[in-house]
Amino acid sequence: ASPIPAPNPRPDIAYNKIFINNEWHDAVSKKTFPTINPATGEVICQVAEGDKADVDKAVKAAKAAFQLGSPWRRMDASHRGKLLNRLADLIERDRAYLAALETLDNGKPYAISYLVDLDMVVKCLRYFAGWSDKFHGKTIPLDGDFFCYTRHEPVGVCGQIIPWNFPLLMQAWKLGPALATGNVVVMKVAEQTPLSALYVASLIKEAGFPPGVVNIIPGYGPTAGAAISSHMDIDKVAFTGSTEVGHLIQKAAAESNLKRVTLELGGKSPNIIMSDADMDWAVDQAHFALFFNQGQCCCAGSRTYVQEDIYNEFVERSVEKAKARVVGNPFDFKTEQGPQVDEEQFKKILGYISTGQREGAKLLCGGSPAADRGYFIQPTVFGDVQDSMTIAREEV
Amino acid sequence: MKKQGSDGNPAPVMPALPEPLKDLKIKYTKIFINNEWHDSVSGKKFAVFNPATEEKICEVEEGDKADVDKAVKAARKAFELGSTWRTMDASERGRLLNKLADLVERDRLILATMETIDGGKLFSTAYLMDLGACIKTLRYCAGWADKIHGRTVPMDGNFFTFTRHEPIGVCGQIIPWNFPLVMFIWKIAPALCCGNTVVVKPAEQTPLSALYMGSLIKEAGFPPGVVNIVPGFGPTAGAAISHHMDIDKVAFTGSTEVGKLIKEAAGKSNLKRVTLELGGKSPNIIFADADLDAAVEFAHIGLFYHQGQCCIAGSRIFVEEPIYDEFVRRSIERAKKYTLGDPLKPGVQQGPQIDKEQYQKILELIESGKKEGAKLECGGGPWGDKGYFIQPTVFSNVTDDMRIAKEEIFGPVQQIMKFKTIDEVIKRANNTTYGLAAAVFTKDIDKALTFAAALQAGTVWVNCYSALSAQCPFGGFKMSGNGREM
């Protein structure tokens, strides 16, 4: 495999506005908000702050692009696949830049942005490119003298609200299927990490997607996000984020126009280690399951159940491994763990750690911030955790 | 091509129509939990009425939150890993569904008579159509039980990956009064086929046939707790289901207004999965090149079937200008050919509306049609001195902004409007927040295929209306629902 190209830790920010109809717009209100580098706590740049008025503009553009007879509606399904493959090509071309941008805005180690996040983004888009012309309906042997068939038609204008933990990957997971099936999109990216998605918007235009097919709005949940979930002219909302906000999204969908809802929310996933497991492999996997991406994964294995007879050894080895984890500048190739994404998460996690100690869990390593600036937290292991404790029940 | 049932084509044909049972005894009026009959926790009961006579048929135990809680506990226990239901072969679930179909066939006359008395349905329709659909749906789903496949997937990396299609768990099912038994079967059959357990709340207007099914479900051999039936009202028992923290999915058929409350309650409580089958204002588009006789007949039945109380009613009929006058004339003639009366009696073509609330709502909408300037061609008011009967009513010269062109009437009121061009009628047909069904009548294949794709509706009929069968998926676009049944 080719070596990872050295990153530019100060990538130029070319795109920080709202993307509608393949053009860049200021917010209707002219407001902007800062996006922060979590490794240093410093502002990277200002970004246009989308709100309801901008969502309305985007939905209008999306609707026009979805009208019967439009270029997008008339396009061969296979050609939609071609455009998705072209987008994948462009992302591959700009892989190093996107990985650096992702690390700058999110804090994840550059080596991982480059090798894992960007790899999965490209694969996801190519996978869905392949599906575009394979969405089959059925012919059905109905009772009576009838000919019956089903058609799988695009839902329409899809509102998509994505999180900050895997900004590019979450964007690909949302765009891939929606575009492969012929929908049009109004996407709100997380306020913590808007930059990489906005750069991809420029690639969407370069790849040749017609104007209005993809529209991207940086902004906040209670404003831009809520405008999407309660919009009367959006046919479906897809949200990835916290369960708390998932409740709000479904309520808003119900109260407005009964738009279809899909939700990917939080987790507290159990990882069960039986005594006949390969010990080395289990410790390794359990470590990865929790600590990957600074613990910021919906599927994190955050309750590790170890069978009694191997418990002590397992705990000892896990602590050793956690202590050896290298925390530092995410652009450094030696770094395994970067900062948490922002101050709010940083404080919340430290709060859980102190609750864990208060409720009687045994702090075996870590437990404190790992640096003087930026949102770094030491890899932390708790032993003797009881199911009733807060750290065993709530998503940290 | 020989028609089914004719000489040389021995395919099954409709059974002969018997007379309704003369002295139907209502045996089951309690709450069905764990294959047993329970009084309501509160001790309350509610009355069930015959809409043709306004007389009380009987009283039924009134379920509320406490009864729903009991039912959910029973359903949860029946769903526990290792339970009889969970360890049953999928094919055995199919066998039980087929057995239930056998029992429904055996008691077809009882159920049809009950459905007529409780629901105001024409007996011939209840016996031939409703019961026929119930039996076929049960048998269709019985056949699927052991054919629910997962996949093996060629994932990247050194992994073996497979999907399993597992039952969701405890399914809350809230059903309406217009097709009480059919809606009961449409809900339980797919759910049981996939291995779920259910808590069903039948409509307060029409609980009797669902409760009778409880006795057949027990007789067929379904383990206790797999099906539980809690009669009661929407704001109490229904809301208890949609808010319940231990129900994994809620399926609702009813009005769009209540559908919104259900989805919201699900979102507020435990994010249970939601499927909704709601209202419609379905467009029926008739071109000048259509077979006019067939179009008039299908448009008529498409609206007036079961006193207009169908979610799929073709309640906006767009007729191409050149044939408009003739179409209206023939539709009026057809609507006038009606005998109203007791739906148990043969020779009656139209029964009552389900209850006073619906009756008043329909009359109010008829008045709005008159006020807003539509031309009343026939009917237009109540009929008879008791029972909730309304004359078959036809409005012509209806324009898109009138209330009768926009709101779901759910009564025997037909709206006929005029159109000129294809683009115009596509826009007008789609100009609604509903999207359940639609139809187009034309002999031109290009028009037929264009409309099949252009109409924003879950089901589009070409040269027919209301063609439904257990094999087809059913559901709406936009605010006519979320998800598909069957």
Side-chain angles (χ1 to χ4, degrees), chain B residues 394-466:
Chain B
V394 178
F395 279 108
S396 67
N397 288 350
V398 178
T399 55
D400 295 2
D401 51 309
M402 294 177 183
R403 282 183 64 202
I404 54 172
K406 293 193 296 192
E407 294 175 37
E408 190 179 35
I409 301 174
F410 234 61
V413 185
Q414 191 182 49
Q415 284 66 241
I416 310 180
M417 14 296 238
K418 202 182 290 189
F419 78 90
K420 283 200 173 74
T421 71
I422 292 178
D423 284 339
E424 169 210 341
V425 78
I426 289 177
K427 275 205 186 64
R428 288 170 68 190
N430 286 337
N431 185 22
T432 166
T433 53
Y434 290 116
L436 191 56
V440 63
F441 284 80
T442 174
K443 290 293 190 197
D444 178 338
I445 192 170
D446 288 337
K447 283 206 198 81
L449 291 174
T450 298
F451 276 83
L455 288 168
Q456 292 166 356
T459 302
V460 178
W461 289 297
V462 178
N463 293 330
C464 58
Y465 206 93
S466 296

Side-chain angles (χ1 to χ4, degrees), chain B residues 153-393:
Chain B
V153 177
M155 180 179 169
D156 286 349
N158 287 340
F159 302 101
F160 169 59
T161 303
F162 66 95
T163 61
R164 268 186 102 241
H165 285 213
E166 303 177 343
I168 293 171
V170 178
C171 300
Q173 309 186 315
I174 302 172
I175 57 179
W177 45 260
N178 56 346
F179 294 87
L181 202 53
V182 177
M183 291 292 99
F184 181 85
I185 301 294
W186 270 29
K187 291 280 184 285
I188 69 163
L192 297 179
C193 150
C194 299
N196 296 283
T197 58
V198 303
V199 174
V200 185
K201 184 201 96 56
E204 61 272 24
Q205 297 90 337
T206 53
L208 301 181
S209 52
L211 291 175
Y212 189 89
M213 287 303 299
S215 74
L216 298 185
I217 283 161
K218 176 177 178 169
E219 189 182 342
F222 285 88
V226 169
V227 178
N228 306 278
I229 307 169
V230 183
F233 292 80
T236 46
I241 287 176
S242 58
H243 280 96
H244 210 284
M245 295 302 286
D246 214 9
I247 286 179
D248 302 298
K249 169 185 171 156
V250 61
F252 169 77
T253 297
S255 69
T256 295
E257 180 192 354
V258 175
K260 290 171 86 174
L261 299 176
I262 301 247
K263 185 164 172 159
E264 194 186 332
K268 264 212 292 253
S269 53
N270 67 341
L271 286 167
K272 56 175 70 61
R273 285 100 188 91
V274 178
T275 49
L276 305 169
E277 298 283 357
L278 307 177
K281 193 70 184 176
S282 302
N284 187 358
I285 299 160
I286 325 279
F287 278 93
D289 67 5
D291 173 338
L292 194 54
D293 278 332
V296 168
E297 185 62 18
F298 273 113
H300 175 85
I301 305 280
L303 189 292
F304 286 99
Y305 189 73
H306 192 37
Q307 291 80 264
Q309 298 168 135
C310 298
C311 48
I312 49 172
S315 48
R316 288 183 296 148
I317 303 172
F318 293 95
V319 182
E320 201 179 3
E321 200 168 36
I323 53 158
Y324 177 82
D325 290 332
E326 181 61 17
F327 185 94
V328 171
R329 194 187 65 75
R330 295 197 200 191
S331 299
I332 298 164
E333 226 181 273
R334 181 64 179 88
K336 281 180 164 164
K337 284 198 192 116
Y338 263 48
T339 310
L340 279 71
D342 183 346
L344 275 175
K345 295 201 167 54
V348 166
Q349 281 115 8
Q350 183 177 316
Q353 309 309 123
I354 187 66
D355 64 10
K356 189 171 200 176
E357 191 183 323
Q358 286 295 313
Y359 172 81
Q360 284 174 339
K361 184 181 110 167
I362 296 160
L363 290 174
E364 197 252 323
L365 276 157
I366 291 176
E367 288 311 305
S368 82
K370 295 176 192 168
K371 252 194 224 82
E372 291 181 344
K375 182 155 175 240
L376 179 67
E377 299 279 4
C378 68
W383 177 93
D385 41 357
K386 79 176 165 145
Y388 308 114
F389 293 87
I390 295 181
Q391 300 168 38
T393 300

Side-chain angles (χ1 to χ4, degrees), chain A residues 68 123 140-143 146 148-151 153 243 246-247 250-251 254-261 263 265, chain B residues 136 156 260 263-264 266-269 271 274 276 278 452-454 467 469 471-473 476-479 481-482:
Chain A
L68 223 44
K123 284 190 161 153
I140 293 175
L142 174 59
D143 287 350
F146 301 100
C148 178
Y149 66 96
T150 61
R151 270 185 102 238
E153 302 176 349
T243 297
H247 284 287
Q250 178 147 338
K251 274 186 64 188
E255 279 166 356
S256 53
N257 67 342
L258 284 168
K259 56 176 70 61
R260 286 100 188 92
V261 179
L263 304 169
L265 307 175
Chain B
K136 285 190 163 155
D156 286 349
K260 290 171 86 174
K263 185 164 172 159
E264 194 186 332
K268 264 212 292 253
S269 53
L271 286 167
V274 178
L276 305 169
L278 307 177
S469 186
Q471 300 84 3
C472 312
F477 281 31
K478 305 195 274 191
M479 294 181 77
N482 289 166

